[in-house]
Amino acid sequence: MIFSSSLVLGATAVSLVAGLALPSPIQEASLLQRDIDPGQDSRSCSSIKDVCSPDTISDPSNALSHAACIALVVCESPKDFLAQFPPNQPRLSRDAFNAVSGGSDVITQQQFIDFYYGTIASINSTIATSNSSANLLTPEYPSSAETVIAWWQDAVAWTGFCSTSSIPYSNFADWIEYSTATGVCGAVQSCDAAKNAATPACVPQRPTDNGSCAEMVSQCILFAGNTTHIFDNEYCVLASFCYSQSTVDVLIKALVQDDYLYIGQPVLSINQPRLTQSVFNTLSGGNTVVTQQNVIDAYYGLLTNTLRSCGGPPGAVTPCPSGSSGPYPTDVSYVTDFWETVSAWTGFCSTRNIPYKNLADYLQYSSTVKAPTSC
Ligand SMILES: *[C@@H]1O[C@H](CO)[C@@H](O)[C@H](O)[C@H]1NC(C)=O
Ligand SMILES: *[C@@H]1O[C@H](CO)[C@@H](O)[C@H](O)[C@H]1NC(C)=O
Ligand SMILES: *[C@@H]1O[C@H](CO)[C@@H](O)[C@H](O)[C@H]1NC(C)=O
Ligand SMILES: *[C@@H]1O[C@H](CO)[C@@H](O)[C@H](O)[C@H]1NC(C)=O
């Protein structure tokens, strides 16, 4: 019922929006700040909950079957949207998508703007005919269409349609379903090149990661110093391995970004001192090769009884026990998968036993020299 009234009133809103000039380029209607913006734009977005919230829809376990919820997921972001509904929501259906696209294969930016304004315009009449006892907000339009464009561009960037700003069905459904998963990265973080460069790179991870790689990086940060010699530390070497779906250089840039005292340019892997023999020996147990089992033992071992900072500036902190362990990967295949990448790059697929020189080469050159990444 909510579904149909949105559609009817959406038609009214199209003419309303047609009168709005759409300035370009998109200005600083910052997506990053929208969650803490107490102003009109966030009130506009929140007011959609009058017709899309667990209290105001009949079937919260299938929220996206309500057209208004498509407006809400875009203005709130999938993460904030999904957090308020029961887990395991069904994937956005083509029918629901069609309610915005008018049956076409893509939703254009203008269609979404019209749809957003139409949704807001319909709320008053929808709640007038409902018996909702929920605490309802006053429906409000956003401060300008630019705000709606900025929200839409978040989905456009993730799905990789910056050139057209129109998103096909399956990509839009993917954005809702997967953009909140850990380690799943969008095509770009922003269609604005300058903003994109200023945002830390998203690091793709396998679902089995379970946050373990991020913890390994946190451990590395305690010892990374000015990030000019990271291959002399076991945590940083293991973090380099678990970044295998990204690159060692992306890790280095992340470490540099974390150290606010270091103002130099990142020393990329090719210019880092080579892997130290002592870290290699620790990993290999004094043998001439590092085996897959060595890496499994090291990865789980280093995540057991982790450390934290007991004071001191970045890079010169005093490490002390955190009193906890993990998170560990959900499956040991996480470790064997990233070790497969290292084995493939170094040409040791058959044994997965890697000698010093080749392992040191992986750390130093895999960011810049292309080679197979699977066996
Ligand atoms: C609202 O409540 C009235 C009286 O309880 C009922 O007759 C009506 O059908 C309800 N309307 C809706 C939309 O649920
Ligand atoms: C909805 O109704 C309220 C109360 O009458 C009014 O203040 C508000 O401007 C209306 N909003 C829209 C979008 O029509
Ligand atoms: C980084 O730290 C090392 C000592 O750990 C020091 O020798 C080196 O000069 C520093 N490099 C930069 C660029 O700050
Ligand atoms: C994933 O990490 C969480 C948080 O540390 C932990 O409770 C859980 O046991 C981990 N999952 C597995 C399968 O180890």
Side-chain angles (χ1 to χ4, degrees), residues 210 327-330:
N210 196 32
Y328 299 106
T330 55

Side-chain angles (χ1 to χ4, degrees), residues 30-99:
S30 172
L31 291 172
L32 295 173
Q33 283 169 19
R34 73 191 197 222
D35 289 337
I36 53 165
D37 173 13
Q40 186 180 346
D41 295 332
S42 59
R43 288 197 306 273
S44 170
C45 180
S46 296
S47 69
I48 299 175
K49 293 182 187 180
D50 290 352
V51 288
C52 171
S53 80
D55 299 332
T56 54
I57 59 176
S58 53
D59 48 353
S61 61
N62 189 9
L64 288 160
S65 63
H66 296 262
C69 292
I70 299 177
L72 187 63
V73 73
V74 174
C75 72
E76 273 198 318
S77 81
K79 179 167 179 275
D80 293 346
F81 173 84
L82 292 169
Q84 61 207 305
F85 289 98
N88 306 317
Q89 290 283 323
R91 185 172 164 87
L92 178 74
S93 72
R94 180 67 204 240
D95 278 352
F97 177 90
N98 285 350

Side-chain angles (χ1 to χ4, degrees), residues 282-299:
T282 307
L283 285 172
S284 69
N287 293 317
T288 56
V289 292
V290 172
T291 67
Q292 178 163 287
Q293 190 59 49
N294 289 152
V295 175
I296 295 169
D297 293 345
Y299 195 76

Side-chain angles (χ1 to χ4, degrees), residues 210-285:
N210 196 32
S212 64
C213 188
E215 182 57 39
M216 192 63 78
V217 173
S218 306
Q219 298 295 298
C220 162
I221 284 169
L222 295 174
F223 303 97
N226 57 20
T227 321
T228 56
H229 46 90
I230 64 164
F231 303 143
D232 62 0
N233 178 272
E234 215 187 339
Y235 293 102
C236 297
V237 168
L238 266 295
S240 302
F241 294 155
C242 70
Y243 260 53
S244 71
Q245 288 195 303
S246 178
T247 68
V248 178
D249 281 348
V250 169
L251 170 65
I252 291 172
K253 287 177 193 163
L255 295 173
V256 167
Q257 231 151 16
D258 190 80
D259 180 357
Y260 58 86
L261 293 181
Y262 183 62
I263 50 167
Q265 284 297 310
V267 177
L268 297 181
S269 53
I270 201 159
N271 292 319
Q272 292 268 337
R274 274 173 88 72
L275 170 67
T276 61
Q277 191 70 51
S278 84
V279 167
F280 181 85
N281 290 348
T282 307
L283 285 172
S284 69

Side-chain angles (χ1 to χ4, degrees), residues 20 28 65 136-137 141 150 168 189 235 237 248-249 273 279 308 323 351 373:
L20 294 171
E28 287 295 307
S65 63
L136 299 177
L137 298 161
Y141 292 105
Q189 311 212 54
Y235 293 102
V237 168
V248 178
D249 281 348
V279 167
R308 66 184 176 87
T351 60
T373 53

Side-chain angles (χ1 to χ4, degrees), residues 31 34 74 77-78 149-159 175 188-190:
L31 291 172
R34 73 191 197 222
V74 174
S77 81
I149 290 174
W151 290 334
W152 179 246
Q153 285 290 316
D154 215 14
V156 167
W158 194 89
T159 53
W175 176 68
V188 286
Q189 311 212 54
S190 167

Side-chain angles (χ1 to χ4, degrees), residues 208-212 300 325-331:
T208 44
D209 160 57
N210 196 32
S212 64
Y300 281 81
S325 294
Y328 299 106
T330 55
D331 193 281

